[in-house]
Amino acid sequence: MTVRHLSVDYDKVNERGCFSPGDILSGKVTVVTSKETKVQSFLVRAKGKAKVTWHEQEGQTTVVHSNKKKYFYFEHIILQDKKKGDGSEIIGPGRNVYPFSFVIPNVDMPSSFEGKWGKITYSLRAHLTQSIWLVHKTKTEFPFLTKSEFPFASKSEMIIIGLKEQQYATRISFYGSGTVTMNVASEKMGIKQGEAVGVSVEVLNNSTRTVTPKFYLCEKQTFVAESKRRVHANDMFFGTGDSVPAQSSRTTTKVISIPPQLPPTFFNCCMMKLEYRLKVALDVPLLTEPVIKLPLVILLGAPKPHQHKPKRSIWFRKLPG
């Protein structure tokens, strides 16, 4: 095997290390060969796509539901055998570097995302074909960030209006021994990655039981394929408040810090969306917990340097004989 190494790298365009619509995606493909090498084709591709897949058991049959969407696809030919098969294009021995450049379409596309049954990826792939039996491939993904300040705006314009408004909700639960009233309020509906939001719960406990408020951040991922819909929910526990004894009342405030790496809310993908809620539940011994959920929109936070994922470069070693 004369091709010892193949890798594809891209140039950063900003401090965050993310690309957006309209940016120039440039980089280089590096090939290391042990001697002069004939190739049939050598190219690099840039692709943006979304894909959803899950399996369901229907009787004795496993049914696969899938959907995909291509946002863009570009191909840059580095070397191409003009005689279609005789390997007339040559790569010299040693280290060879080939630059490339693409312009990302200036249209609305969702940010990179990886969920339970689907993901949105943007990638570069290099293909070097020596013969029909000998093809070398390598791939690296690059982070992509939508230009839309509100990638959920198409869902409802009222969401934007209410981002800075306080949220309120009330629930009254009836038990044989009395009632428990829970009033919940959050400072605002819109919060950036890495920031914190205060949530207050007022409990009026007119029952004979002691109740304790518990605080959660709820994530909801929705996937759509072949007219089917599947939801993945995940509750992140943030702790408990002070217990409220029987025939008493108490107000507890909890500060919930949004993890900076948590993906922002989005609706601008036709086959998946990501939503969040603030949830407050009352722990009532031996009874169903009363729950209040408030809407929460997580917005993109301040720029942070991107950490590259390990690239899948390929090194080849000579086989014996």
Side-chain angles (χ1 to χ4, degrees):
M1 295 179 66
T2 58
V3 177
R4 303 298 303 279
H5 170 75
L6 176 64
S7 64
V8 58
D9 300 275
Y10 59 84
D11 303 322
K12 289 177 61 175
V13 291
N14 51 43
E15 179 185 350
R16 190 188 288 269
C18 292
F19 292 84
S20 293
D23 285 344
I24 296 176
L25 173 62
S26 60
K28 62 182 183 295
V29 180
T30 303
V31 185
V32 178
T33 60
S34 59
K35 63 180 182 179
E36 190 175 87
T37 303
K38 294 181 179 181
V39 300
Q40 290 186 2
S41 68
F42 185 20
L43 52 88
V44 59
R45 294 170 176 149
K47 182 188 294 186
K49 68 176 182 179
K51 185 175 182 180
V52 169
T53 303
W54 74 82
H55 299 76
E56 288 184 356
Q57 198 70 29
E58 297 183 2
Q60 299 297 317
T61 305
T62 300
V63 179
V64 179
H65 298 285
S66 65
N67 196 5
K68 60 183 177 180
K69 178 179 177 62
K70 187 185 298 181
Y71 293 107
F72 62 80
Y73 176 88
F74 299 113
E75 186 173 276
H76 172 72
I77 297 175
I78 299 171
L79 295 172
Q80 180 71 56
D81 181 1
K82 298 179 179 61
K83 295 185 180 180
K84 298 181 181 178
D86 68 353
S88 60
E89 292 293 346
I90 303 297
I91 295 179
R95 186 174 183 267
N96 299 268
V97 179
Y98 301 92
F100 62 84
S101 182
F102 302 104
V103 178
I104 299 175
N106 194 11
V107 296
D108 182 36
M109 293 179 283
S111 299
S112 302
F113 174 72
E114 185 165 358
K116 179 70 173 178
W117 295 294
K119 58 184 179 179
I120 302 166
T121 57
Y122 298 85
S123 62
L124 287 164
R125 301 168 186 258
H127 292 244
L128 192 157
T129 303
Q130 290 182 261
S131 69
I132 192 173
W133 301 281
L134 192 55
V135 180
H136 311 293
K137 301 178 183 180
T138 186
K139 171 189 174 183
T140 186
E141 293 183 4
F142 58 91
F144 185 83
L145 193 62
T146 181
K147 264 190 175 179
S148 174
E149 184 179 3
F150 303 111
F152 46 81
S154 60
K155 181 71 175 178
S156 172
E157 291 184 1
M158 293 302 295
I159 292 180
I160 299 176
I161 297 173
L163 286 179
K164 296 183 180 180
E165 300 294 327
Q166 288 185 323
Q167 307 294 308
Y168 302 94
T170 296
R171 172 157 183 173
I172 301 176
S173 300
F174 297 90
Y175 303 107
S177 59
T179 62
V180 177
T181 302
M182 177 169 55
N183 300 310
V184 177
S186 69
E187 292 177 333
K188 53 187 176 180
M189 182 168 62
I191 184 75
K192 291 184 177 181
Q193 295 167 308
E195 293 185 345
V197 60
V199 183
S200 295
V201 54
E202 179 189 31
V203 179
L204 308 175
N205 186 4
N206 292 318
S207 72
T208 58
R209 302 171 183 270
T210 297
V211 299
T212 305
K214 298 188 293 186
F215 298 84
Y216 300 85
L217 174 62
C218 306
E219 176 190 57
K220 179 183 176 183
Q221 301 175 12
T222 304
F223 304 90
V224 178
E226 301 170 355
S227 301
K228 297 287 186 177
R229 180 174 173 268
R230 195 161 195 185
V231 174
H232 171 68
N234 179 41
D235 289 356
M236 290 166 268
F237 180 64
F238 273 85
T240 60
D242 296 329
S243 296
V244 184
Q247 303 300 319
S248 67
S249 63
R250 178 168 291 172
T251 299
T252 300
T253 298
K254 188 77 173 178
V255 176
I256 295 179
S257 297
I258 306 301
Q261 73 278 7
L262 203 65
T265 302
F266 72 86
F267 290 105
N268 62 339
C269 177
C270 61
M271 62 187 70
M272 66 186 87
K273 63 182 179 180
L274 179 63
E275 304 168 88
Y276 294 95
R277 297 286 187 274
L278 289 171
K279 184 175 85 171
V280 179
L282 284 184
D283 185 4
V284 184
L286 304 177
L287 294 174
T288 302
E289 295 182 344
V291 171
I292 285 180
K293 291 184 180 181
L294 295 177
L296 181 69
V297 175
I298 296 182
L299 305 168
L300 190 67
K304 293 180 177 60
H306 173 71
Q307 294 183 349
H308 283 273
K309 289 183 179 180
K311 293 186 288 295
R312 285 161 45 181
S313 301
I314 302 176
W315 284 92
F316 305 95
R317 64 182 172 87
K318 189 175 180 180
L319 299 176

